[in-house]
Amino acid sequence: MTSDSDAIGSFIPSLHKPSSLLPIARHRQSLLYLIETFPVTIVVGQTGSGKTTQIPQFLEQAGWCDENKIVAVTQPRRVAATTVAARVAEESGSKLGEEVGYSIRFEDLTSAKTRIKFLTDGLLLREALADPLLSRYSVIMVDEAHERSLSTDVLLGVLKKISKRRPDLRIVVSSATLQAEAFLRFFDRDQVSHGDNNPEAGGSIGRIISLEGRMYPVDALYSEEAVEDYVERAVKTVFDIHSSEAEGDILIFLTGREEIDTAIQLIADRATSLHPQAASILPLPLYAGLTSEQQLYVFDSAPENTRKVIVSTNIAEASVTIDGIVFVIDCGFVKLRAFNPKTGIETLSATPISKASATQRAGRAGRTKPGKCYRLYTEASYESLPEATVPEVQRSNLAPVILQLKALGIDNILRFDFLTSPPAELVARALELLFSLGGLDDYAKLTRPLGVRMAELSVEPMLAKVLLSSPSFDCLSEILTISAMISLQGAVWFHHDGEKRAMDTARRKFAVEEGDHLTLLNVYQAFVTKGKKEAKWCRDNSLNFKSMSRAVSIRNQLRRYLERFGINVEESLAGKKGPDVVKKGEQIRKCLTTGYFAHAARMQPDGTFRTVNGSMVLHAHPSSLMFNRKADWVIFHEVLETGNKTFIRDVTKIEKSWLLDGSLSTYYQVKE
Ligand code: CDP
Ligand code: MG
């Protein structure tokens, strides 16, 4: 195994069900007919029916990739894009990255040969900046559209616009649930009259095709009373199933990495006391922060006499299909983004799922034979769940997409054709932020060059602003590093079971008094001088070698962007000591403040933090250097919610006066 891509290829079990047995096989002709005939085809089918892996292959075989055209399949999640690309490459007997490739932010595995390309919907939107009609693509399949991720919704709006100018473009929208009609109505509305030839719904625009996949019945079992600790209960349920049920793998839905790690640990601990003659249990995590190989373990079949227990986030709800699951344990929660326009802060918090999600999760148990779903909540709570999840566009920070839409020439956001309109308050708040970052002018037009460049950089607007301001603070080289490191989203540190103390010691070794950003800079500089060649140095320092190598690659890509803007990157030498370092540190922190002023907070006498308007109580995350330390004003990169506490991660000390400087103060004035 030499690289990620090889690893993916070699981990997929080579024995799989022939694709001719999949439900979709019978629909091949009608699918191709609809796609040939109508600009828009909506495909509805159970998870596992073959939409993602088969449709692009049908299209390729039918000639949609001739004359160097590409079939694109978008995914809301990076993980899904990489795993399904690996699968399709394998099925079609090609090497991943050649005929079949994928492209996700900071990672492009495609070549001039690529005919089928999996990518995140956010990335396709970004491609539209350079190629506004997405002219390389003959067919664009928007997969998992029912999830209604922010980028999916925006992409659908943009595709609708493009299709008016490109009648040859074919759009396929695939959905695991019954929202098909809403999608078709969206493409159909405001069409000129259909004429008499097309009295059917969808007129001349499109059609819905449904692939009735075979599903076995799944028994839903509810908890008798409210569950206090669902992680604990999920673990107990695993062992109840293991001791009383026949064979079949278990899939547990939890909300995030920390819960998953805890559950895996608890299962592993308890599994040691199983009777030596009993079947073993193999717990495996599945969440987005894992490396590609780690993610692929879950697809391998378990060794003989072993029950696989996959502990997953919402990824396994519809995006990836794992065979052999007979039991599902559903905690009833999912981590969802929620942007509070009052505080200007976006959180990721555990929220009760919808009925549609609960059904979808249960369905994962009935793919190969009748299954059971253990719901860790009461039937009454189930009844009180909302029917469907609120689309992200109605509960997210819209600044990144508004910036992108503006860059695509869509100036009037309120008139943009959204599948569901965002609340005016969220739009106003996003415009305000972009304005105070200097990306928009008084007429809400992109500023040049700042706003235009911010839109082009593949990082969120606040970080983009920091990067673009760094030359004037004389710390571009350092900010490039910090940006790459925070783009790893917390995957920097790594420890084996029971080595948490070693990790804490290692972390202290790199600690910089002023906060996490400078600490990350320190870690990176040590890595490139001492640890780049082999994984051992990282292991000794509780660092994740893969992530650190990824940081190097991300940094190079960001650097290339800046060079394309004509910004010269002078690399400064690492490891300078003395007053220079202190001065540099201050410049870096000032520079960070130019982007993150909206994420400023002040420490209270009780050690918690309060946002600027005082309305939100925040805690330093245990992984932060500011955990249990004193500070006054700080800025932070992101907010995480666990249990009922709101944590801030990647925290750095600043001076209050920096917040009141120049453009920064406009943000606060606007608000008060
Ligand atoms: O997209 P949809 O949910 O309709 O189905 P799919 O992802 O195309 O999966 C079709 C079949 O391929 C299922 O039987 C999956 O189990 C299998 N598959 C797999 O074994 N490994 C993957 N990485 C992806 C799909
Ligand atoms: Mg799929």
Side-chain angles (χ1 to χ4, degrees):
M1 251 180 284
T2 48
S3 73
D4 262 1
S5 51
D6 288 341
I8 291 176
S10 62
F11 267 88
I12 297 282
S14 49
L15 267 179
H16 49 249
K17 201 160 53 174
S19 52
S20 56
L21 293 181
L22 288 171
I24 202 164
R26 279 180 291 123
H27 298 278
R28 181 190 179 117
Q29 286 317 319
S30 26
L31 254 170
L32 289 173
Y33 169 77
L34 289 182
I35 294 171
E36 179 80 44
T37 315
F38 297 98
V40 179
T41 304
I42 319 278
V43 184
V44 201
Q46 283 294 345
T47 305
S49 49
K51 302 181 295 296
T52 312
T53 55
Q54 304 309 307
I55 295 178
Q57 298 186 73
F58 294 171
L59 291 168
E60 196 270 338
Q61 290 151 9
W64 287 94
C65 301
D66 296 354
E67 289 157 33
N68 286 325
K69 289 285 185 195
I70 301 173
V71 168
V73 183
T74 71
Q75 298 289 322
R77 296 194 173 81
R78 301 161 56 97
V79 201
T82 57
T83 57
V84 292
R87 169 72 179 201
V88 172
E90 216 235 10
E91 280 188 19
S92 61
S94 61
K95 186 161 177 287
L96 183 61
E98 295 186 351
E99 281 80 6
V100 182
Y102 69 80
S103 196
I104 59 180
R105 189 167 71 137
F106 299 130
E107 205 177 319
D108 181 32
L109 207 65
T110 60
S111 65
K113 283 193 193 165
T114 301
R115 297 158 74 84
I116 298 175
K117 173 164 158 186
F118 289 89
L119 72 179
T120 52
D121 27 30
L123 207 92
L124 187 61
L125 274 175
R126 191 162 288 288
E127 286 190 3
L129 286 178
D131 176 10
L133 294 180
L134 296 172
S135 55
R136 310 161 64 193
Y137 302 107
S138 54
V139 185
I140 293 172
M141 170 160 151
V142 182
D143 205 359
E144 310 291 344
H146 65 273
E147 267 200 33
R148 304 292 309 276
S149 83
L150 181 55
S151 316
T152 301
D153 273 19
V154 174
L155 178 62
L156 288 170
V158 169
L159 287 178
K160 182 172 170 184
K161 253 177 113 80
I162 292 177
S163 98
K164 288 181 184 154
R165 293 179 52 198
R166 260 195 71 191
D168 61 308
L169 175 68
R170 289 302 182 256
I171 300 168
V172 178
V173 178
S174 106
S175 164
T177 54
L178 302 166
Q179 292 186 18
E181 267 147 41
F183 290 122
L184 189 58
R185 265 199 310 278
F186 167 72
F187 281 100
D188 192 33
R189 78 185 174 210
D190 67 50
Q191 284 294 311
V192 264
S193 99
H194 299 139
D196 294 337
N197 310 342
N198 282 300
E200 240 183 286
S204 53
I205 275 291
R207 288 292 180 274
I208 297 173
I209 176 167
S210 156
L211 323 166
E212 74 294 2
R214 169 124 192 237
M215 278 290 290
Y216 294 87
V218 175
D219 265 345
L221 302 144
Y222 293 93
S223 167
E224 269 170 31
E225 53 215 60
V227 170
E228 231 164 73
D229 180 345
Y230 58 68
V231 175
E232 177 69 36
R233 180 63 66 90
V235 173
K236 180 176 181 301
T237 309
V238 166
F239 288 89
D240 290 348
I241 295 172
H242 194 59
S243 61
S244 61
E245 297 278 355
E247 54 175 37
D249 295 336
I250 303 177
L251 172 62
I252 308 182
F253 286 100
L254 294 178
T255 72
R257 180 181 178 163
E258 286 178 24
E259 284 175 9
I260 292 173
D261 287 344
T262 310
I264 297 268
Q265 187 69 52
L266 289 172
I267 295 171
D269 288 351
R270 282 189 58 179
T272 55
S273 52
L274 284 174
H275 191 275
Q277 247 90 67
S280 351
I281 285 190
L282 176 65
L284 295 166
L286 180 60
Y287 53 80
L290 295 174
T291 63
S292 315
E293 291 126 316
Q294 285 171 319
Q295 278 159 14
L296 290 168
Y297 283 128
V298 305
F299 297 103
D300 283 347
S301 36
E304 210 169 316
N305 209 21
T306 301
R307 195 192 295 271
K308 245 188 346 183
V309 179
I310 292 152
V311 194
S312 173
T313 57
N314 217 33
I315 297 177
E317 190 178 298
S319 298
V320 301
T321 310
I322 305 153
D323 286 330
I325 302 293
V326 181
F327 307 99
V328 163
I329 301 175
D330 172 14
C331 78
F333 286 85
V334 63
K335 274 222 171 114
L336 291 183
R337 290 207 248 180
F339 181 73
N340 180 340
K342 303 251 154 24
T343 56
I345 286 173
E346 189 173 59
T347 54
L348 197 58
S349 43
T351 316
I353 56 172
S354 64
K355 285 192 181 125
S357 269
T359 309
Q360 182 66 28
R361 287 180 175 188
R364 320 309 296 120
R367 292 203 42 252
T368 38
K369 57 176 161 175
K372 283 188 183 167
C373 174
Y374 297 81
R375 292 184 168 148
L376 306 183
Y377 41 94
T378 63
E379 191 159 9
S381 336
Y382 170 81
E383 291 304 334
S384 66
L385 294 177
E387 290 302 323
T389 313
V390 179
E392 255 183 13
V393 69
Q394 298 193 310
R395 53 181 164 84
S396 304
N397 171 14
L398 300 176
V401 298
I402 290 183
L403 194 62
Q404 276 200 320
L405 287 173
K406 297 251 173 201
L408 290 172
I410 299 162
D411 257 319
N412 192 336
I413 301 303
L414 290 172
R415 285 189 46 204
F416 178 70
D417 200 354
F418 280 106
L419 195 53
T420 313
S421 302
E425 201 188 3
L426 288 189
V427 176
R429 198 66 177 129
L431 291 171
E432 230 169 71
L433 175 64
L434 293 171
F435 174 75
S436 49
L437 285 169
L440 296 181
D441 64 16
D442 290 344
Y443 306 95
K445 291 236 186 284
L446 282 187
T447 53
R448 273 171 202 280
L450 183 61
V452 175
R453 288 176 176 175
M454 278 169 64
E456 259 177 67
L457 275 173
S458 56
V459 295
E460 41 102 13
M462 299 202 285
L463 187 54
K465 169 66 185 288
V466 171
L467 269 165
L468 294 164
S469 332
S470 62
S472 51
F473 288 89
D474 202 20
C475 58
L476 176 51
S477 171
E478 290 82 1
I479 290 290
L480 267 176
T481 301
I482 292 172
S483 305
M485 290 294 282
I486 54 184
S487 298
L488 297 176
Q489 295 182 308
V492 177
W493 303 95
F494 173 82
H495 68 99
H496 286 288
D497 304 338
E499 288 175 5
K500 190 167 175 311
R501 185 163 297 167
M503 178 171 84
D504 290 340
T505 314
R507 261 214 298 243
R508 265 198 299 278
K509 199 158 84 188
F510 296 103
V512 177
E513 172 67 15
E514 285 83 2
D516 297 319
H517 293 89
L518 292 175
T519 302
L520 289 172
L521 175 63
N522 217 4
V523 168
Y524 183 91
Q525 291 182 333
F527 173 73
V528 290
T529 42
K530 302 182 196 133
K532 221 162 122 178
K533 302 253 156 40
E534 38 146 22
K536 184 176 180 306
W537 184 86
C538 278
R539 224 176 307 123
D540 293 346
N541 288 287
S542 299
L543 288 163
N544 185 332
F545 181 72
K546 281 240 155 170
S547 300
M548 291 305 301
S549 313
R550 213 169 111 72
V552 174
S553 144
I554 295 176
R555 190 181 188 283
N556 282 334
Q557 294 180 51
L558 290 173
R559 184 192 153 123
R560 278 199 296 276
Y561 268 112
L562 296 180
E563 285 169 348
R564 233 180 292 148
F565 299 150
I567 299 172
N568 182 28
V569 183
E570 246 177 71
E571 297 294 6
S572 48
L573 290 170
K576 270 193 278 182
K577 291 249 161 10
D580 260 12
V581 174
V582 178
K583 174 118 196 314
K584 190 57 130 311
E586 182 170 317
Q587 290 296 91
I588 294 170
R589 290 183 298 131
K590 275 187 178 161
C591 181
L592 288 166
T593 312
T594 63
Y596 283 91
F597 52 87
H599 279 182
R602 186 177 196 183
M603 190 177 266
Q604 306 300 305
D606 65 359
T608 64
F609 290 92
R610 237 14 96 73
T611 49
V612 176
N613 66 6
S615 63
M616 207 169 167
V617 181
L618 305 164
H619 302 261
H621 192 266
S623 72
S624 170
L625 200 80
M626 290 300 145
F627 182 66
N628 281 340
R629 289 209 200 186
K630 279 204 84 62
D632 189 20
W633 284 90
V634 297
I635 48 109
F636 54 89
H637 175 59
E638 62 183 348
V639 175
L640 299 161
E641 259 171 89
T642 310
N644 46 12
K645 271 190 179 174
T646 308
F647 292 101
I648 49 181
R649 186 160 71 182
D650 296 335
V651 186
T652 281
K653 290 183 187 173
I654 58 156
E655 300 290 329
K656 184 183 179 194
S657 60
W658 301 346
L659 285 172
L660 304 174
D661 273 358
S663 71
L664 307 189
S665 54
T666 56
Y667 186 71
Y668 298 107
Q669 274 165 18
V670 174
K671 208 161 51 180
E672 266 138 28

